Amino acid sequence: MPAAALRRLRRDGFCLLPGPPAALLDRLRALLGRLDRRALSPAERDRCVMESALRETQRGMPLPPGAEAIFILGEPGRLHPAFSIAAAHPRLMAAARAALGTDRLAFHFANVTTKAARFGSGIAWHRDARNRYMPTRRGRFLRVLVCLDALRPATGGTAFRPGSHRGGEGRPEVVPPARKGAMVLVHPEVRHGGAPNRGATPRRLLVVQWGRRDDPLSLRNREAETGRPPGQLARPALWLTG
């Protein structure tokens, strides 16, 4: 991880880096496209949060009549191992080691968060360290957003308040100019959120959380791969056919 990127992470609460190889991310997009074009099995639906399950106040806009889409696909590594391979890719792991200051890392979770074209839900301003899903005792973890699509204001790209991880509201919000294939490293205390997607294309992120092995999770939430070190995560067992 370049020293300049680490300085930006510490100064602003987020930074951009090149993500996993394009061929791997193309594979992930193809798998998600196939999932969107067919009916979900009961096992798949159990791993998803659908747009229709969200309250209008949470979504930020009404759901159009008859519209439906996956908002969050949980445990994507159980859909196909390519997602776990991306979550433990050497580029991502090098960034996590530098940001967390240790080689002893533990996987917490991954999901694919999608804002469907024209009606995808907004996400309220929040700090990951205050979330109820897999925080740690000391807040020493890192979220990484792998941009399967570019972050743009028109499609509800993730916005940040730079410097808010140091306390207060931070500087005026900004959507970082993350191109398709980039990674955004997110400090657990920085405020971030996003508007609904009113654009003509989807906005998809592979969201990955890694933590230090000496900072255990503070709640009981766990997923099938939670706690695995990077070497094991890159060799997952299949859950569903991809």
Side-chain angles (χ1 to χ4, degrees):
M1 180 175 176
L6 187 57
R7 287 195 297 270
R8 287 192 293 272
L9 177 63
R10 291 170 175 168
R11 180 193 67 200
D12 297 332
F14 64 93
C15 70
L16 303 183
L17 288 173
L24 176 56
L25 300 186
D26 286 343
R27 178 64 168 147
L28 303 190
R29 284 185 283 267
L31 290 163
L32 294 172
R34 289 165 60 183
L35 190 66
D36 287 339
R37 290 191 295 271
R38 62 175 173 79
L40 298 175
S41 71
E44 290 168 332
R45 186 169 283 273
D46 285 346
R47 300 290 171 186
C48 294
V49 176
M50 307 301 293
E51 286 282 353
S52 60
L54 305 177
R55 300 185 303 274
E56 186 172 321
T57 54
Q58 179 182 357
R59 298 190 71 256
M61 63 184 293
L63 186 66
E68 183 61 292
I70 298 171
F71 175 51
I72 293 177
L73 169 64
E75 299 191 79
R78 298 178 72 182
L79 173 66
H80 194 279
F83 289 98
S84 292
I85 292 168
H89 188 271
R91 292 179 190 172
L92 195 155
M93 298 318 307
R97 291 185 182 101
L100 294 173
T102 182
D103 290 333
R104 301 186 68 247
L105 299 178
F107 178 74
H108 291 167
F109 73 88
N111 69 53
V112 176
T113 301
T114 299
K115 293 185 178 182
R118 304 195 187 281
F119 65 85
S121 175
I123 298 175
W125 288 97
H126 64 284
R127 304 175 194 266
D128 293 332
R130 321 287 174 86
N131 281 358
R132 290 177 293 176
Y133 197 68
M134 295 203 196
T136 65
R137 292 179 183 175
R138 295 188 289 128
R140 299 293 302 279
F141 62 85
L142 180 75
R143 290 262 178 105
V144 181
L145 313 181
V146 180
C147 299
L148 302 179
D149 303 293
L151 293 187
R152 296 185 289 116
T155 55
T158 305
F160 294 85
R161 289 193 176 274
S164 56
H165 61 304
R166 298 177 181 275
E169 294 299 307
R171 302 191 296 279
E173 68 182 77
V174 60
V175 176
R179 298 180 179 181
K180 182 170 70 173
M183 298 189 300
V184 185
L185 275 57
V186 183
H187 190 284
E189 289 285 356
V190 72
R191 294 195 71 218
H192 59 289
N197 183 0
R198 301 182 186 275
T201 56
R203 191 236 59 181
R204 295 164 293 183
L205 297 174
L206 173 63
V207 181
V208 183
Q209 182 171 307
W210 284 92
R212 296 173 57 107
R213 299 193 72 83
D214 60 1
D215 184 19
L217 296 167
S218 59
L219 300 176
R220 295 183 178 179
N221 305 103
R222 292 187 68 85
E223 296 185 354
E225 297 177 321
T226 300
R228 283 186 160 189
Q232 291 183 17
L233 193 70
R235 297 188 298 274
L238 279 171
W239 170 56
L240 302 170
T241 59

